[in-house]
Structures are given as structure tokens and as C-alpha cells.
């Protein structure tokens, strides 16, 4: 049996404050207004120390609210507008739902996780909702877990870890040190200084360079379709991996976190057949001391681009530290201006930037909620619940010692079950090989068991991206109502790197700009499609419509790049 009741918890303390939102808050608010709530809201589960009374657990939650301004923050705004201000309350109330069981299911932690996930389904009302939806999962009146869902405008995963550590300290009766990390309003003020504005401008330039020159999508390959995927969670627990990681760090002098990032990037680039690994590294923007323990949403991607053009793992590791630091330094930006830039650059390039690879290392955060087992496995991969994600590979690093613990979600259309598990075991095998000696990158298939994707003869590399010209032709034809289209690779033409699209428009008028706009509108969810460098408009298709030479002999009605300029 289960009994559920709600406790209203008043609080008072702190100062009422008001000011602009931070860049991170604006970024997440933008996502919250656009995305489904269960996709953008976050959740966490905290084990309750045995013997804790319900009243004590709730009092400690009240203490968190008084201690951290973010939990007392709302975002007033006019209907139809995105919030630009935040208000910190000095008093108010929140609710705690107590879910009291006579007996918990066998998988008690999994049950608590499902309770927390249910809290993600409803949208947070930014102008008035408390930023946490808190449930106490109890047995016969004794709390066992705190299951909570959180507004991403108020906290991120790192902040939830800080909150858990503080909550446990309050439960234990410890006097917590004064908060010295940036509050949201402190960070907003720092971002508005001349130095903060210069950092934001530098971040935009860093992102633009990668988006102009890097692969438009890491997983541009057959089967990669759609902008959101539903994927099962895979969890790796491996003492072998932790031992090997420590040995690689000892042998090379690299930091374990950098070693693991290097190995992961090497394996992703190897699997995708890419010459660089472009990945979002979200938590790494907390590398500044005043942000490390900030209870706030600092969720702005650090965009990493790691060039794979080196012969061996050790050489890649030497490049990775600088590439990662460069990404971390450029993770503070105005999200609206960033996406305006991305839209402009990708329209000009003829691509759609795909944030399809994410690596989130939270292993240095407070690990109070990490499950402890007296006999951690040497190597074990288990499957967990599925969730919808706007990425094709998402990895969370939870622990690196004494066990390597990773959570990973991969697109099931690209990875069969044995391949997704093989990717994680291949990561451990790579670390074990690198623990003994430098590993040639050319030997990654043999060392890890992970094979590069087979794209087939119809694919080619254009402008740093893998592209399927036949798919470009099909998509462009469909976008223009089914007219005949032929797409040729210009690689054989001196000094050219791009595609030419021949379009037979019949009697209907058509311009290159109209063709390009139609194709760009059809691009989301098709990472194997890159817009042609040039559109050639003719009246009727030739008899040999699959031969470029036949199209070249036809009279040209119009030609151009379609990017608001004539060629």
C-alpha cells in the first residue's frame, strides 16, 4: 500500500534581490520555452541516511532554500516574451510530497528514479513556480530517498550535486561554510563587465571557426535521421577501466580526466570515420573557481574540436589538453547571438549544425549519491530506462576511481545492442592498451574491436563533412515538388570542393536562391545532406539523367550559389 500526502514548507531568510538573467539562464530558458518539458527538465535521487526523521529531512531542505538564492528565484515576464529578469525572494513556501510505502519494490533506487522522472513531465512556470519538485520516498514513515525534478533555469546537474552535499551536511548538523561561489545575480553582474563581454565575443568567434570548418555532424551516415532519438541508458562499471586509466595517467603524466576524454574522442572519431572529434562538453564551463560550486544553471556548452591528424594516442593526448582548455575558455556566450550566428553561417555553408555528440564529465562533483558496492565488477554493462534526447551519443562520466562508471545513450538506429555495449568495452580495452604503451591510432579496430562505419560508395567528403550526393538530390527534388535533380561532386575540378546541383524546373520559374532556401528548410534531421555549392537551373532533364556530362550539355536558364549572391 502507498499513502501520499503533501507538506507545505514555509521559509524566511536572505535578501530580496532583482537583476538581469545570466547568459546560462537565458540559454536554458530558451530551451525550456522550445522543448518538451520532460526532455529539458532534469532530475536527481538522493539516498536518505538511515534513521533520518521526515521532519529533519524537510528542515534540511528548508535550509537549502534559505542558503541558495537560486532556489528562491523566479523569472517575471510578459506573456509571449522570454524572461530577461530574475527576482530572488526573501520569504515564501514550497511543497514536499511524501510517498509512504508499506514496502518498497525490489529495485528501490529504480523506483525512486521513476518518481523523480514523473516530476519532469510538467512544464515549470518560470514566473511563479518553485524550482524544485520534491518527493520523499518513505517506508512506514521513514524517508529512504529524496526524489526531485528541477527547473533547468534554476539548477543544472552540477548544482544538484552541490545541493545534495549541502543537504547531507545540514542533516548531520554541520555548520556549512559561507557561500563564496557566484550566485546567479553575481554571475550576471560579472558577465556585464567589459571583461565578461570580451569573453562572450571571443566565444562566438571560437564557435564560428568550428562551425565553418568542422564536420556538420559527427554521425553523418546511413540511418542517421531525425533530430531527437529515444535511447536506452547503458551503464559501464569497471574496475579494470579505473586501473587502466590510472596507469595511462601515470605513464603519460596526463590528468585522468584528460586521458579519458582523449580515449573517448579517439573512439568516437574512429567509429564515425571523421578526421576530428567535435563534441559538446557542458560541465567544463565550471572550470573557474567561483563557478565550481555555484548553485545556478551554468549550462552552456564548451565546444571541443580535437584534430585526429596525429599518429598515436600519446600525440593525441598532448593535443587534447590545449583543445579542451580552449573549449572551456570559450563557453560563456549570449545564446541568442550564438544561434543567430549559427543560422547565418550554416545558411551560407549549406549545412545544419548537429549537436549530436555530448561528453559530460561530472566525476569531480560531490559523489554522495554514487551507489557503493563491496564488490564492484571488473567489467559490467547494464541497460536502464530509455529517454528522448536531442543527441546521437550522450555520455556522463560519474566516477573514475576506484571504479570507472559511465552512463551512455546511443542512437539505436546507428548502434545495434552488441555494438553499443562493444563501444563501452572497447573504451576499456583502449585504456588497457594505452596503459602499457603508446597505441597507434591506425590500430584502433584491432585494439578495441570497434569498427568504423561503412558508408558505401555513394558517400564522399565535402567541405570537411561526409555527404551522400544521391540523398542530396532526393531531398532537393522532394523540397521542390519532385522535379528532376542530379547532384555531382566537384572534387575532380581544380580548386573546387563542393557539389553542383542540376535542377530541371520545366516551365515553372525557379531561382538558385529559391532552390537553396527549399533545401535548407528540409535539412534538419538529415546530417548526410550538405547544400550544393552551385545550383544550375535547366528546363528539361536529359535522357541520361544519371550522367553529369549530359546535364552539362543543356542550355542553362540560371545558375548561382543561392546564398543571396550570384556566381
Amino acid at each position: 500500500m502507498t499513502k501520499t500526502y503533501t507538506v507545505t514548507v514555509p521559509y524566511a531568510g536572505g535578501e530580496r534581490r532583482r537583476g538581469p538573467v545570466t547568459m546560462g539562464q537565458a540559454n536554458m530558458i530558451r530551451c525550456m520555452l522550445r522543448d518538451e518539458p520532460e526532455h529539458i527538465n532534469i532530475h536527481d535521487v538522493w539516498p536518505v541516511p538511515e534513521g533520518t526523521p521526515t521532519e529533519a529531512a524537510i528542515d534540511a531542505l528548508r535550509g537549502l532554500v534559505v542558503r541558495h538564492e537560486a532556489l528562491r528565484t523566479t523569472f517575471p515576464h510578459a506573456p509571449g516574451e522570454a524572461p530577461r529578469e530574475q527576482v530572488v525572494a526573501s520569504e515564501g513556501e514550497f511543497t514536499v510530497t511524501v510517498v509512504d510505502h508499506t514496502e518498497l519494490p525490489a529495485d528501490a533506487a529504480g523506483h525512486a528514479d521513476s518518481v523523480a522522472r514523473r516530476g519532469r513531465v510538467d512544464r515549470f512556470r518560470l514566473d511563479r513556480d518553485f524550482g524544485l519538485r520534491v518527493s520523499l520516498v518513505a517506508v512506514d514513515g521513514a524517508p529512504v530517498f529524496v526524489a526531485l525534478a528541477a527547473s533547468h533555469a534554476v539548477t543544472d546537474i552540477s548544482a544538484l550535486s552541490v545541493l545534495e552535499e549541502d543537504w547531507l551536511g545540514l542533516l548531520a548538523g554541520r555548520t556549512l561554510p559561507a557561500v563564496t561561489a557566484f550566485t546567479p545575480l553575481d554571475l550576471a553582474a560579472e558577465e556585464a563587465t567589459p571583461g565578461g563581454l570580451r569573453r562572450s565575443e571571443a566565444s562566438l568567434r571560437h564557435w564560428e571557426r568550428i562551425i565553418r570548418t568542422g564536420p556538420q555532424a559527427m554521425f553523418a551516415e546511413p540511418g542517421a535521421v531525425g533530430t531527437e532519438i529515444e535511447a536506452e541508458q547503458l551503464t559501464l562499471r569497471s574496475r579494470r577501466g579505473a586501473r587502466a586509466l590510472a596507469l595511462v595517467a601515470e605513464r603519460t603524466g596526463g590528468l585522468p580526466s584528460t586521458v579519458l576524454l582523449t580515449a573517448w574522442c579517439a573512439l568516437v572519431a574512429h567509429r564515425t570515420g571523421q578526421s576530428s572529434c567535435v563534441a559538446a562538453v557542458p560541465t567544463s564551463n565550471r572550470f573557474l573557481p567561483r563557478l565550481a560550486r555555484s548553485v545556478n544553471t551554468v549550462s552552456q556548452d564548451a565546444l571541443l574540436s580535437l584534430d585526429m591528424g596525429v599518429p598515436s594516442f600519446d600525440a593525441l593526448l598532448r593535443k587534447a589538453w590545449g583543445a579542451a582548455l580552449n573549449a572551456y575558455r570559450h563557453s560563456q556566450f549570449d545564446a541568442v547571438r550564438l544561434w543567430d550566428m549559427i543560422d547565418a553561417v550554416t545558411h551560407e555553408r549549406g549545412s545544419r549544425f548537429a549537436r549530436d555528440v555530448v561528453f559530460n564529465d561530472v566525476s569531480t562533483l560531490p559523489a554522495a549519491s554514487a551507489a557503493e558496492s563491496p564488490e564492484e565488477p571488473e567489467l559490467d554493462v547494464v541497460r536502464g530506462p530509455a529517454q528522448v534526447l536531442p543527441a546521437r551519443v550522450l555520455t556522463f562520466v560519474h566516477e573514475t576511481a576506484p571504479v570507472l562508471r559511465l552512463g551512455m545513450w546511443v542512437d539505436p538506429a546507428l548502434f545495434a545492442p552488441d555494438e553499443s555495449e562493444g563501444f563501452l568495452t572497447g573504451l576499456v580495452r583502449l585504456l588497457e592498451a594505452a596503459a602499457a604503451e603508446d597505441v597507434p591510432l591506425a590500430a584502433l579496430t584491432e585494439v578495441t574491436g570497434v569498427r568504423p562505419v561503412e558508408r558505401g560508395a555513394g558517400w564522399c567528403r565535402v567541405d570537411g563533412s561526409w555527404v551522400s550526393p544521391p540523398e542530396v538530390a532526393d531531398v532537393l527534388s522532394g523540397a521542390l515538388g519532385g522535379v528532376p535533380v542530379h547532384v555531382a561532386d566537384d572534387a575532380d575540378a581544380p580548386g573546387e570542393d563542393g557539389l553542383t546541383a542540376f535542377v530541371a524546373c520545366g516551365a515553372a520559374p525557379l531561382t538558385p536562391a529559391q532552390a537553396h532556401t527549399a533545401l535548407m528548410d528540409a535539412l534538419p534531421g538529415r546530417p548526410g545532406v550538405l547544400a550544393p555549392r552551385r545550383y544550375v537551373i535547366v528546363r528539361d532533364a536529359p535522357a541520361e539523367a544519371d550522367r553529369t556530362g549530359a546535364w552539362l550539355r543543356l542550355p542553362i536558364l540560371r545558375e548561382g550559389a543561392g546564398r543571396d549572391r550570384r556566381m
Side-chain angles (χ1 to χ4, degrees):
M1 289 182 60
T2 303
K3 179 176 68 174
T4 302
Y5 59 94
T6 300
V7 179
T8 299
V9 185
Y11 67 85
E15 177 187 356
R16 178 177 171 83
R17 304 176 68 197
R18 189 183 194 109
V21 297
T22 68
M23 292 180 180
Q25 287 172 327
N27 185 40
M28 295 318 303
I29 287 170
R30 178 181 177 277
C31 296
M32 291 176 69
L33 296 175
R34 179 195 63 198
D35 298 345
E36 291 300 316
E38 62 185 308
H39 301 167
I40 192 62
N41 295 337
I42 56 177
H43 76 282
D44 204 359
V45 175
W46 304 343
V48 179
E50 188 174 355
T52 300
T54 298
E55 295 78 8
I58 292 175
D59 282 344
L61 290 168
R62 188 197 332 262
L64 285 183
V65 175
V66 173
R67 177 174 171 81
H68 293 293
E69 289 188 0
L71 301 185
R72 297 183 272 118
T73 296
T74 53
F75 304 89
H77 59 97
E81 294 184 2
R84 297 181 179 181
E85 282 192 312
Q86 55 184 313
V87 174
V88 179
S90 59
E91 60 182 5
E93 62 184 29
F94 62 97
T95 60
V96 175
T97 301
V98 180
V99 187
D100 196 7
H101 303 70
T102 54
E103 184 179 0
L104 282 176
D107 182 9
H111 171 69
D113 187 78
S114 68
V115 172
R117 284 178 182 273
R118 286 199 293 271
R120 294 174 56 162
V121 173
D122 293 327
R123 197 174 297 277
F124 280 90
R125 293 168 298 183
L126 293 163
D127 59 338
R128 53 179 168 166
D129 281 359
F130 181 67
L132 301 178
R133 293 178 181 141
V134 186
S135 296
L136 285 181
V137 179
V139 177
D140 292 331
V144 181
F145 295 100
V146 176
L148 56 86
S151 163
H152 220 329
V154 170
T155 63
D156 55 22
I157 295 296
S158 303
L160 291 180
S161 296
V162 174
L163 288 175
E164 181 184 8
E165 186 179 52
D166 283 357
W167 180 74
L168 289 171
L170 291 170
L171 273 183
R174 293 196 294 270
T175 299
L176 301 182
V179 175
T180 58
F182 276 136
T183 67
L185 287 173
D186 293 337
L187 180 56
E190 192 276 338
E191 289 174 342
T193 64
L197 295 174
R198 284 195 298 271
R199 283 190 291 275
S200 178
E201 292 296 325
S203 295
L204 293 178
R205 291 193 297 272
H206 168 82
W207 278 70
E208 181 173 356
R209 178 185 61 79
I210 295 172
I211 290 168
R212 279 192 182 278
T213 61
Q216 64 170 344
M218 289 297 294
F219 285 89
E221 58 188 64
V225 295
T227 56
E228 293 185 338
I229 62 159
E230 183 174 4
E232 283 186 315
Q233 180 178 353
L234 294 170
T235 300
L236 167 74
R237 301 182 73 92
S238 176
R239 284 193 178 276
R240 282 172 48 188
R243 287 195 298 269
L245 179 59
L247 288 172
V248 179
E250 180 181 352
R251 183 182 69 79
T252 62
L255 294 172
S257 59
T258 309
V259 170
L260 183 60
L261 175 63
T262 303
W264 183 85
C265 286
L267 208 54
V268 168
H270 172 69
R271 161 59 182 76
T272 57
Q274 300 282 10
S275 58
S276 63
C277 181
V278 175
V281 194
T283 56
S284 300
N285 54 13
R286 287 179 172 264
F287 76 108
L288 294 173
R290 293 291 298 276
L291 292 176
R293 292 186 57 82
S294 176
V295 174
N296 186 8
T297 184
V298 194
S299 289
Q300 293 188 277
D301 287 341
L303 189 64
L304 171 73
S305 180
L306 181 56
D307 181 9
M308 306 302 296
V310 292
S312 69
F313 182 87
D314 287 7
L316 188 64
L317 177 60
R318 288 192 291 271
K319 294 182 66 172
W321 168 244
L325 184 60
N326 197 34
Y328 305 163
R329 290 173 53 242
H330 295 107
S331 58
Q332 178 182 334
F333 47 79
D334 181 323
V336 173
R337 289 189 61 202
L338 177 76
W339 282 102
D340 285 346
M341 179 273 292
I342 290 174
D343 287 344
V345 169
T346 53
H347 182 83
E348 180 182 332
R349 192 179 182 192
S351 66
R352 277 284 184 262
F353 169 66
R355 182 187 181 268
D356 57 5
V357 178
V358 183
F359 182 84
N360 215 0
D361 188 345
V362 296
S363 62
T364 60
L365 301 175
S369 63
E372 295 184 2
S373 172
E375 296 183 5
E376 293 286 5
E378 285 296 296
L379 195 158
D380 187 34
V381 178
V382 297
R383 292 187 173 271
Q387 67 183 85
V388 176
L389 301 166
R392 302 202 186 277
V393 172
L394 168 64
T395 302
F396 272 85
V397 181
H398 296 288
E399 292 180 84
T400 56
V403 62
L404 179 60
R405 182 165 65 98
L406 306 180
M408 188 176 77
W409 294 259
V410 299
D411 188 343
L414 306 181
F415 290 80
D418 59 331
E419 290 175 313
S420 56
E421 295 177 17
F423 188 90
L424 287 173
T425 57
L427 181 66
V428 173
R429 292 173 63 180
L430 175 56
L431 291 172
E432 289 179 325
E437 60 184 355
D438 193 8
V439 177
L441 296 187
L444 285 180
T445 298
E446 178 184 356
V447 169
T448 67
V450 175
R451 296 184 175 278
V453 64
E454 296 182 5
R455 290 186 170 86
W459 289 75
C460 59
R461 198 189 295 272
V462 174
D463 191 21
S465 299
W466 281 105
V467 181
S468 169
E471 187 179 358
V472 176
D474 288 344
V475 174
L476 179 56
S477 174
L480 295 175
V483 301
V485 174
H486 173 72
V487 174
D489 180 8
D490 298 337
D492 294 335
E496 301 293 351
D497 179 21
L499 304 173
T500 295
F502 298 89
V503 183
C505 68
L510 180 69
T511 67
Q514 290 170 331
H516 185 67
T517 298
L519 181 60
M520 293 300 296
D521 289 343
L523 276 192
R526 294 181 169 93
V529 176
L530 189 73
R533 178 185 60 84
R534 185 170 64 119
Y535 297 86
V536 176
I537 313 297
V538 301
R539 182 179 178 86
D540 299 307
E544 296 178 296
D546 60 339
R547 298 179 64 85
T548 301
W551 288 85
L552 287 170
R553 288 192 291 270
L554 297 174
I556 296 174
L557 300 179
R558 299 172 193 86
E559 64 177 315
R563 279 85 160 165
D564 300 322
R565 63 181 178 85
R566 300 290 291 180
M567 287 190 66

